[in-house]
C-alpha cells in the first residue's frame, strides 16, 4: 500500500516550505492558482523565498507584499485584468527584490530541463531581446549540428511545487482538468509536490481515468483538502473567476497601508477553509458557482 | 479620457472600439491567431464572428478554440473560454505550435515602443537604475520572436513612442534592415502598430515605422506631436474607417459591460 499523505494546510507548509525555499506556484497561469496555500505561507511569515512561475497573476504580488520573498523568477508579475502589481513594483523599485526575467516559454523550458536532469534546453525565443541582461539563466549558444544561434534556458530546480487540483486521493493521485499551463514541468522538476484539492476522493475515482492524472502520485509529498483554495481564480467544475476580487485588490494594494489592511482581513484572520467561506459569504459563493454543468462523455478503458 | 482631444465626442464609439475594430481587420479568414490579453481578446472575437469564421484561436494558458465561447469573457482563463473548446493542454504545446511557425498572427500590448517596433514591458530606466518596474514579458517576447507576424496595440503618447526603448522585451526590427536575421530570428516581426491615434506599418527595406492611417479626429500633426522621433508618412496616407455597425454590435456583444471598451 502507498503511504497516506493527507496533511492540514499549516502542517504541509510548515513541513515542506521552510525559509529560503524555491517554490513554483501559479503554474496554470490564470486558472487554479493555489491562493489558500500562498496565504498560509504569508501567515507563517516565511522569509527569503524564491518564487518561480509564468504569469502568476496577483498571488506573487501578495506574497511579495507580505515580505516573504527575496527573488522572483517569472515571466510576468501583476494583475491580469488591471495591469501593475503594486507590491512587486515597490519591492523592485526600492531594490528589495531580485528578479530574473523569463518568458512563458523560457520558464517552461527551464523547469523541463530540471525535470529531465539536463543543465539547459535550447529555444529560438528571446533572441535579440534584453532578457539576457536581466536574467543570468539565459544565454545565447550555437547549435552543434546546424550552427544556428539559439537561446539556452538554464535549468531551474524548485524545492517544491504547489498545485491546486479538482480532486485527489489521499495518496496523491490527482485529476486536474482545464488548461494546464506549465503544471507538468513544474511538478516534474520539483523535489516535493504539495497538492491542494477541492475534493478528496476514493482511489478508484482516479484510476477510472488515468489520462486525466496530472502528475505521478508517487512524487507527491502532501495532499491538502482545500475547498475554494484557488479563489479568486477559476476552477473548472467548481467555481468561476471572481473578477471583483481582482478589481478590489488593485485598490487594496496601491499603498503599503491599504495592503496591510487587505492582508489583515483576507489572510491573517483566516484559520481554515470554513473561515474563508464565511468571509466570502454564501451569496458571493453562489454567484461564482458553476451555473450550468457540462459533463464529458465517459471513456472506456476496459480490456 | 474625457480631456483627450482625439476622442470623437460626437460619435457613438470610443477609441478602444476603433482599436478593436482595426485589430479585427488585421485577421484574415483561416488564420491561426495567438490571442493576447485585453483588446486583442475582443479583436479576435469580432473577426471570428464577422469576416474570419474559420480563424483558430490559440491561448497561452493552453487553450485552442475553433469556435466562439458561449458567453462573454473578461479574460482568457474565464471558464466559458475553456468549455467546449477544441484542446485544453499545456502552455508548452501552444509554444510548439508557435515555434514550428504555425501561428500566422499574434497581438501584444506595450508600455514603450520605438521606431523599429521594439517593445518594452519590463523596465523604464536602466537595469541598474530602475525608475518603473513593469510586469514583464509573459508570452509577449515569445510571440514577437516566433509568430509569422505580430501586431502591437498601445496608447499613442510621446513618452511611450520613443526613439529607442529602454529595454527590449519583445523584439521588433532591432536597429532596422536585416537585424532579425542577424540575431537569429527565423521569421516574423511586427506588421502593424494600432494606437489610440492611428495605424502604423513598417518600411519593407529599412523596417522603420511609417504612419499609414490616421484615426478620425486625429491629424498627422497630433500624431507627430505624440511621437518621439520624426515620423515618416506613407505616400498614400489613409483615414482609418470608423467601426461599422456590425463591428460595434459584436464589440458590445463580447464586452457587454464595456470593461475594455469604455
Amino acid at each position: 500500500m502507498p503511504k497516506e499523505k493527507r496533511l492540514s494546510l499549516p502542517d504541509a507548509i510548515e513541513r515542506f516550505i521552510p525559509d529560503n525555499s524555491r517554490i513554483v506556484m501559479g503554474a496554470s497561469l490564470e486558472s487554479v492558482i493555489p491562493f489558500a496555500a500562498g496565504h498560509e505561507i504569508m501567515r507563517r511569515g516565511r522569509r527569503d523565498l524564491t518564487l518561480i512561475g509564468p504569469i502568476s497573476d496577483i498571488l506573487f504580488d501578495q506574497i511579495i507584499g507580505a515580505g516573504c520573498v527575496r527573488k522572483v523568477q517569472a515571466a510576468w508579475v501583476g494583475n491580469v485584468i488591471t495591469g501593475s502589481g503594486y507590491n512587486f513594483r515597490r519591492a523592485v523599485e526600492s531594490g528589495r527584490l531580485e528578479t530574473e526575467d523569463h518568458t512563458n516559454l523560457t520558464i517552461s523550458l527551464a523547469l523541463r530541463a530540471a525535470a529531465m536532469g539536463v543543465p539547459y534546453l535550447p529555444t529560438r525565443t528571446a533572441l535579440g531581446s534584453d532578457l539576457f541582461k536581466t536574467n543570468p539563466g539565459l544565454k545565447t549558444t550555437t547549435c552543434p549540428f546546424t550552427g544556428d544561434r539559439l537561446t539556452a534556458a538554464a535549468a531551474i530546480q524548485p524545492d517544491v511545487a504547489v498545485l491546486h487540483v479538482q480532486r485527489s486521493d489521499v495518496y496523491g493521485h490527482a485529476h486536474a482538468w482545464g488548461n494546464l499551463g506549465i503544471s507538468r514541468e513544474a511538478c516534474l522538476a520539483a523535489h516535493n509536490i504539495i497538492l491542494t484539492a477541492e475534493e478528496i476522493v476514493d482511489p478508484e475515482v482516479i484510476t477510472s481515468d488515468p489520462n486525466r492524472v496530472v502528475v505521478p502520485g508517487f512524487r507527491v509529498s502532501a495532499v491538502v483538502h482545500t475547498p475554494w483554495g484557488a479563489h479568486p481564480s477559476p476552477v473548472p467544475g467548481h467555481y468561476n473567476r471572481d473578477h471583483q476580487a481582482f478589481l478590489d485588490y488593485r485598490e487594496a494594494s496601491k499603498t503599503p497601508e491599504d495592503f496591510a489592511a487587505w492582508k489583515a482581513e483576507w489572510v491573517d484572520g483566516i484559520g481554515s477553509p470554513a473561515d474563508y467561506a464565511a468571509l466570502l459569504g454564501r451569496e458571493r459563493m453562489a454567484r461564482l458557482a458553476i451555473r450550468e454543468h457540462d459533463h464529458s462523455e465517459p471513456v472506456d478503458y476496459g480490456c | 479620457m474625457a480631456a483627450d482631444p482625439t476622442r470623437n465626442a460626437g460619435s457613438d464609439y470610443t477609441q478602444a472600439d476603433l482599436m478593436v475594430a482595426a485589430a479585427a481587420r488585421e485577421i484574415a479568414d483561416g488564420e491561426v491567431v495567438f490571442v493576447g490579453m485585453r483588446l486583442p481578446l475582443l479583436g479576435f472575437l469580432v473577426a471570428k464572428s464577422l469576416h474570419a469564421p474559420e480563424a483558430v484561436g490559440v491561448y497561452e494558458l493552453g487553450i485552442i478554440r475553433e469556435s466562439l465561447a458561449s458567453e462573454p469573457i473578461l479574460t482568457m482563463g474565464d471558464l466559458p473560454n475553456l468549455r467546449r473548446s477544441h484542446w485544453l493542454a499545456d502552455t508548452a504545446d501552444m509554444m510548439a505550435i508557435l515555434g514550428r511557425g504555425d501561428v500566422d498572427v499574434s497581438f501584444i500590448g506595450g508600455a514603450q515602443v520605438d521606431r523599429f517596433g521594439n517593445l518594452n514591458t519590463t523596465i523604464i530606466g536602466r537595469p541598474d537604475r530602475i525608475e518603473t518596474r513593469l510586469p514583464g514579458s509573459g508570452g509577449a517576447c515569445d510571440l514577437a520572436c516566433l509568430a509569422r507576424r505580430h501586431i502591437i496595440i498601445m496608447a499613442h503618447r510621446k513618452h511611450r513612442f520613443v526613439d529607442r526603448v529602454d529595454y527590449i522585451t519583445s523584439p521588433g526590427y532591432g536597429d532596422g534592415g536585416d537585424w532579425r536575421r542577424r540575431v537569429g530570428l527565423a521569421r516574423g516581426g511586427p506588421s502593424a502598430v494600432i494606437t489610440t491615434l492611428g495605424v502604423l506599418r513598417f518600411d519593407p527595406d529599412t523596417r522603420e515605422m511609417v504612419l499609414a492611417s490616421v484615426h478620425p479626429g486625429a491629424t498627422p500633426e497630433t500624431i507627430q506631436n505624440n511621437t518621439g522621433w520624426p515620423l515618416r508618412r506613407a505616400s498614400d496616407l489613409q483615414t482609418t474607417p470608423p467601426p461599422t455597425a456590425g463591428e460595434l454590435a459584436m464589440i458590445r456583444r463580447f464586452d457587454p459591460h464595456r470593461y475594455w471598451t469604455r
Side-chain angles (χ1 to χ4, degrees):
Chain A
M1 277 294 284
K3 196 171 81 159
E4 285 206 22
K5 296 165 183 170
R6 196 166 160 179
L7 290 176
S8 71
L9 190 54
D11 286 348
I13 302 302
E14 183 61 32
R15 190 155 155 206
F16 294 108
I17 305 190
D19 289 351
N20 293 301
S21 294
R22 294 163 297 172
I23 313 166
V24 56
M25 55 203 308
S28 287
L29 285 75
E30 292 182 12
S31 323
V32 292
I33 301 171
F35 277 97
H39 293 177
E40 185 63 27
I41 291 170
M42 293 159 71
R43 274 190 293 275
R44 305 191 83 72
R46 288 293 184 257
R47 287 290 175 268
D48 295 321
L49 302 176
T50 295
L51 297 183
I52 302 157
I55 67 157
S56 85
D57 217 332
I58 60 174
L59 178 59
F60 281 15
D61 192 74
Q62 295 172 0
I63 305 174
I64 292 164
C68 305
V69 185
R70 183 173 56 79
K71 180 167 151 182
V72 171
Q73 296 171 297
W76 195 94
V77 181
N79 185 330
V80 163
I81 62 166
T82 69
S84 267
Y86 294 109
N87 285 314
F88 172 65
R89 272 195 61 175
R90 278 189 288 272
V92 174
E93 290 167 16
S94 66
R96 281 179 283 130
L97 183 70
E98 197 185 325
T99 55
E100 290 185 3
D101 289 289
H102 275 276
T103 74
N104 285 339
L105 176 49
T106 63
I107 194 75
S108 161
L109 291 170
L111 291 162
R112 178 65 65 179
M116 307 276 280
V118 296
Y120 73 92
L121 281 173
T123 169
R124 292 186 197 275
T125 195
L127 295 169
S129 78
D130 285 332
L131 269 69
F132 299 94
K133 293 181 186 167
T134 58
N135 185 346
L138 297 177
K139 289 190 187 302
T140 54
T141 186
T142 304
C143 173
F145 301 104
T146 63
D148 287 1
R149 193 165 185 257
L150 300 169
T151 296
I156 291 179
Q157 171 88 78
D159 296 308
V160 59
V162 184
L163 203 68
H164 189 77
V165 299
Q166 281 95 342
R167 60 193 186 198
S168 176
D169 69 16
V170 295
Y171 308 109
H173 309 105
H175 279 176
W177 59 95
N179 54 286
L180 295 176
I182 63 166
S183 300
R184 291 182 200 274
E185 53 269 50
C187 288
L188 292 170
H191 287 302
N192 288 300
I193 300 166
I194 298 175
L195 298 180
T196 61
E198 290 290 330
E199 281 186 276
I200 302 296
V201 297
D202 289 337
E204 290 71 27
V205 173
I206 304 299
T207 53
S208 76
D209 192 0
N211 269 128
R212 215 178 301 284
V213 174
V214 66
V215 59
F218 77 88
R219 291 274 282 100
V220 172
S221 299
V223 177
V224 182
H225 185 214
T226 320
W228 289 82
H231 174 270
S233 67
V235 179
H238 289 268
Y239 41 89
N240 284 279
R241 192 173 195 272
D242 189 350
H243 299 301
Q244 191 58 46
F246 290 86
L247 298 175
D248 292 345
Y249 181 74
R250 171 193 162 86
E251 300 308 315
S253 57
K254 277 188 171 165
T255 69
E257 295 73 29
D258 290 339
F259 176 72
W262 176 88
K263 178 170 165 284
E265 183 181 10
W266 286 95
V267 178
D268 298 340
I270 307 294
S272 67
D275 288 351
Y276 195 80
L279 181 60
L280 264 185
R282 214 170 291 172
E283 197 187 318
R284 189 169 187 171
M285 291 166 83
R287 208 164 53 238
L288 297 171
I290 303 300
R291 294 179 298 273
E292 194 180 298
H293 292 281
D294 192 357
H295 292 275
S296 67
E297 284 295 319
V299 295
D300 186 359
Y301 287 96
C303 44
Chain B
M1 293 297 258
D4 190 329
T6 63
R7 173 86 177 246
N8 216 327
S11 63
D12 56 355
Y13 64 89
T14 64
Q15 278 182 338
D17 291 330
L18 183 58
M19 291 168 81
V20 170
R25 294 168 195 158
E26 296 288 327
I27 299 170
D29 198 15
E31 287 196 309
V32 177
V33 185
F34 210 110
V35 188
M37 296 195 291
R38 302 162 182 244
L39 296 187
L41 201 68
L42 288 173
F44 172 70
L45 296 173
V46 170
K48 178 96 182 139
S49 58
L50 294 175
H51 61 270
E54 303 297 322
V56 174
V58 179
Y59 300 81
E60 64 187 1
L61 311 187
I63 306 166
I64 288 185
R65 287 204 75 96
E66 297 175 18
S67 61
L68 293 167
S70 60
E71 49 188 294
I73 55 171
L74 199 55
T75 182
M76 63 178 83
D78 287 350
L79 297 188
N81 204 39
L82 277 61
R83 182 183 184 188
R84 299 272 159 186
S85 64
H86 294 88
W87 198 25
L88 290 176
D90 294 5
T91 294
D93 297 318
M94 307 300 118
M95 292 297 172
I97 289 166
L98 187 62
R100 212 186 76 101
D102 290 329
V103 169
D104 294 299
V105 58
S106 71
F107 293 85
I108 58 182
Q112 213 184 36
V113 69
D114 68 23
R115 68 160 81 193
F116 294 109
N118 303 298
L119 200 67
N120 176 15
T121 53
T122 304
I123 290 168
I124 305 294
R126 293 192 334 220
D128 59 347
R129 209 177 55 216
I130 297 170
E131 291 160 31
T132 305
R133 172 66 212 206
L134 304 165
S137 161
C141 174
D142 306 316
L143 297 169
C145 289
L146 301 172
R148 303 186 77 82
R149 69 182 194 277
H150 68 275
I151 289 153
I152 297 165
I153 300 191
M154 59 185 284
H156 207 135
R157 297 282 180 277
K158 191 151 199 162
H159 68 280
R160 291 178 178 274
F161 275 67
V162 295
D163 188 49
R164 190 74 187 162
V165 287
D166 292 351
Y167 181 105
I168 299 180
T169 311
S170 303
Y173 296 107
D175 52 18
D178 66 348
W179 178 88
R180 285 182 72 93
R181 194 181 52 74
R182 278 188 280 123
V183 299
L185 293 168
R187 68 177 89 87
S191 63
V193 184
I194 298 169
T195 79
T196 41
L197 300 177
V199 178
L200 304 99
R201 299 192 188 274
F202 292 86
D203 183 286
D205 299 317
T206 66
R207 299 302 194 178
E208 185 177 332
M209 209 185 285
V210 178
L211 179 61
S213 178
V214 178
H215 292 344
T219 65
E221 290 69 36
T222 54
I223 292 176
Q224 178 61 72
N225 291 341
N226 282 285
T227 303
W229 70 89
L231 184 62
R232 289 178 49 200
R233 295 177 193 175
S235 51
D236 59 338
L237 188 61
Q238 311 276 314
T239 300
T240 313
T244 65
E247 286 167 340
L248 268 185
M250 287 305 120
I251 294 170
R252 299 286 174 267
R253 172 181 159 197
F254 297 119
D255 190 23
H257 305 297
R258 306 193 65 171
Y259 183 82
W260 298 117
T261 52
R262 223 181 283 271

